[in-house]
Amino acid sequence: MNISQQFAPPFKLISPYFIIGIFVLTFSTFLLFGMDISYAHSLNSSTLSWVHIFLLGFVMMIIFGAMAQLVPVVLEVGHFAVDLYYIIYPLLFIGTILMGMGFYYFPILLPYGGVIAFVSFTIFLLETFLTILKVKKFNFVISTVLVANIFLLFGLIIGIVLALGYSGTLDVNINELLKAHVYLVLVGYVGITIMGMSLVLLPMFWLSHSFSWIFVKSALVILSFGILLVVLSSFINVKFIENLGYILSFIALILYFFQIFIIYKTRVRVEVDIYFKSMVFSYLCLLISIIMGIIYIFNPNHNLLLALSWLGIFGFITFVITGHMYKIVPFLVWFERFSPFVGKKKVPMLSDMVPVKSANIQFIFSSLGVIIASIGILLGVDSIFKSGISLLSIGAIPVSLDFDIFSPPTSSQP
Ligand code: HEM
């Protein structure tokens, strides 16, 4: 099947993103044993270091690998220059390591790590924008890709300024800029990207159809306004505008959550597989995180902020990613290894490629770990937090074995 690489990037281009991403997920899970939650603060150098190792080395790495595959599917045009993806992951990985060390050990390293990471992000943004320029007809999902990438660009520019402030090179108001940075990269890029891609992937994997998109379309517009207001309040420091931004963001997330509920209700495929369990758990974490966020506005308790961020990052984002990887990676491996033999010799079914037992084991340990760790964070009790991390680290082992995509699958080899 001779499909142009710009439409179907080769396996060897995408697999390093998934391998590095899963390695960093496992590594950063074990890093949590070094944190004492009773002294944790969002601005601790250990927290800042962990947050960037996890969000850049796992979340952004996997999103970029998936985008290499999904952009042609969503935009219905070939990549502008897909080979640029060969230089994005090494730069992002090196930038992430230097930023992690910069936050924790040597602040002077932070701007260098930041700039290397920034270069990798810029190459990704440039390739995506130039591919979007080839699009003739815009639709909702394409708009989410465009809006999310614009937010990422500005969030990263503020990140670089913050890094120069953190290393003492520049005198900046870190607390104010931090709000804009976090809102643009986490809510603006990661949030809106998941919003757009979930509208393509969930109906595709659940065979949901004939449902209205009105809730998610309104959510995108309201969330974009919410983000712009929070960013604006970072520069003009008006509390009313900041709170209005938060309220609009919560309304948007609730509308999005309702859209996902409608897709769940209209699904034809009702199989309770690892994908289904991961999606249900991740969206429940999103719902609880939203409720805790609303409580935080009226009762700004720091452990509450840490716990809702933990559920949003390690609950919602992580399970959306690992859940989709249990769908996408078996297909990529099957296509790479067995599609050439179709009709020539016996090949395994796609469903045989999913390691069901270890996938369920990782789900039980990881979901229990996330819940128990969030209780430990909320109460500020380190022993409860560490028992949650112990379960998470047990769950991380099957994940890294399941996605060891270089070693051929054992059982179903023809
Ligand atoms: C070029 C890349 C980046 C640079 C240079 C950068 C720099 C920074 C700096 C210096 C801070 C801390 C400011 C302070 O409080 O002293 C920060 C905080 C933060 N950044 Fe980034 N960042 C980058 C990319 C990202 C990305 C891609 C994400 C998310 C996807 C992200 C998420 C966050 C979060 C959540 C915080 C707050 C963490 C906390 O309060 O514990 N950053 N960033």
Side-chain angles (χ1 to χ4, degrees):
M1 288 187 230
N2 183 14
I3 305 168
S4 120
Q5 291 209 346
Q6 306 301 343
F7 276 91
F11 187 64
K12 65 179 185 330
L13 180 142
I14 296 178
S15 52
Y17 286 88
F18 291 155
I19 290 179
I20 296 172
I22 293 297
F23 166 75
V24 173
L25 171 65
T26 312
F27 175 71
S28 44
T29 304
F30 285 97
L31 269 185
L32 291 166
F33 282 110
M35 276 195 191
D36 185 336
I37 213 67
S38 30
Y39 302 112
H41 188 282
S42 62
L43 297 179
N44 274 2
S45 55
S46 57
T47 314
L48 289 166
S49 174
W50 187 88
V51 162
H52 285 85
I53 291 172
F54 188 87
L55 289 173
L56 274 71
F58 165 58
V59 175
M60 298 302 271
M61 189 68 79
I62 301 272
I63 289 180
F64 286 179
M67 282 303 163
Q69 190 78 30
L70 284 172
V71 160
V73 178
V74 169
L75 305 188
E76 293 162 9
V77 292
H79 276 285
F80 174 81
V82 76
D83 289 346
L84 287 174
Y85 276 82
Y86 284 112
I87 46 179
I88 294 173
Y89 71 84
L91 286 174
L92 181 56
F93 189 51
I94 295 165
T96 305
I97 294 172
L98 287 177
M99 282 180 69
M101 290 168 68
F103 275 120
Y104 201 58
Y105 296 111
F106 320 106
I108 193 61
L109 280 180
L110 185 59
Y112 296 99
V115 168
I116 295 173
F118 189 78
V119 172
S120 80
F121 286 125
T122 312
I123 296 169
F124 169 79
L125 287 167
L126 212 60
E127 203 282 333
T128 309
F129 285 138
L130 291 171
T131 306
I132 290 176
L133 282 181
K134 292 165 66 174
V135 173
K136 303 254 175 328
K137 202 167 136 312
F138 265 56
N139 62 25
F140 166 75
V141 179
I142 297 175
S143 335
T144 63
V145 174
L146 183 63
V147 171
N149 283 283
I150 293 171
F151 283 145
L152 178 63
L153 178 62
F154 288 101
L156 293 172
I157 293 170
I158 296 176
I160 293 288
V161 174
L162 279 170
L164 292 167
Y166 195 89
S167 64
T169 322
L170 266 185
D171 179 20
V172 288
N173 181 340
I174 285 193
N175 283 334
E176 285 309 317
L177 283 183
L178 179 64
K179 225 173 10 191
H181 172 64
V182 174
Y183 237 69
L184 284 165
V185 286
L186 206 50
V187 184
Y189 179 72
V190 178
I192 292 182
T193 300
I194 291 179
M195 209 184 249
M197 293 305 130
S198 61
L199 265 289
V200 175
L201 297 170
L202 281 167
M204 186 164 82
F205 291 132
W206 276 347
L207 305 179
S208 307
H209 56 83
S210 47
F211 55 85
S212 155
W213 288 45
I214 186 66
F215 299 100
V216 73
K217 286 184 177 169
S218 340
L220 176 74
V221 176
I222 296 170
L223 187 59
S224 303
F225 272 110
I227 293 166
L228 290 174
L229 287 179
V230 171
V231 172
L232 179 66
S233 76
S234 276
F235 295 97
I236 61 171
N237 203 4
V238 177
K239 202 73 190 150
F240 168 74
I241 291 187
E242 182 184 347
N243 285 338
L244 185 59
Y246 293 144
I247 292 166
L248 287 180
S249 310
F250 284 126
I251 294 171
L253 288 174
I254 291 167
L255 282 170
Y256 169 60
F257 186 79
F258 193 61
Q259 178 76 61
I260 298 299
F261 184 69
I262 290 175
I263 295 175
Y264 166 81
K265 289 301 269 180
T266 56
R267 76 193 189 286
V268 174
R269 180 174 289 148
V270 290
E271 193 193 347
V272 179
D273 58 0
I274 184 63
Y275 179 73
F276 176 85
K277 292 175 197 156
S278 305
M279 290 311 114
V280 169
F281 182 77
S282 67
Y283 282 100
L284 280 178
C285 286
L286 175 67
L287 184 65
I288 299 167
S289 183
I290 294 171
I291 296 167
M292 289 164 92
I294 295 169
I295 297 170
Y296 180 77
I297 289 193
F298 303 101
N299 165 23
N301 166 296
H302 202 69
N303 283 40
L304 184 60
L305 176 67
L306 289 177
L308 75 93
S309 313
W310 168 264
L311 277 176
I313 292 174
F314 226 115
F316 172 56
I317 298 176
T318 304
F319 277 77
V320 161
I321 290 178
T322 51
H324 279 97
M325 285 187 71
Y326 274 107
K327 279 286 184 195
I328 296 169
V329 174
F331 167 77
L332 291 178
V333 172
W334 185 89
F335 190 80
E336 171 74 10
R337 293 222 173 94
F338 301 112
S339 63
F341 303 111
V342 173
K344 297 187 193 108
K345 59 179 164 183
K346 191 170 134 336
V347 296
M349 299 282 287
L350 190 51
S351 53
D352 301 339
M353 305 291 291
V354 181
V356 177
K357 219 183 238 127
S358 60
N360 286 330
I361 291 170
Q362 73 80 24
F363 176 76
I364 294 165
F365 279 99
S366 304
S367 53
L368 273 180
V370 167
I371 297 166
I372 293 173
S374 57
I375 295 168
I377 296 171
L378 201 57
L379 302 175
V381 179
D382 193 53
S383 53
I384 301 178
F385 174 67
K386 289 287 177 355
S387 5
I389 302 304
S390 312
L391 292 171
L392 260 178
S393 51
I394 297 171
I397 297 160
V399 171
S400 42
L401 294 177
D402 287 349
F403 295 119
D404 176 8
I405 31 190
F406 273 122
S407 65
T410 46
S411 60
S412 49
Q413 193 72 1

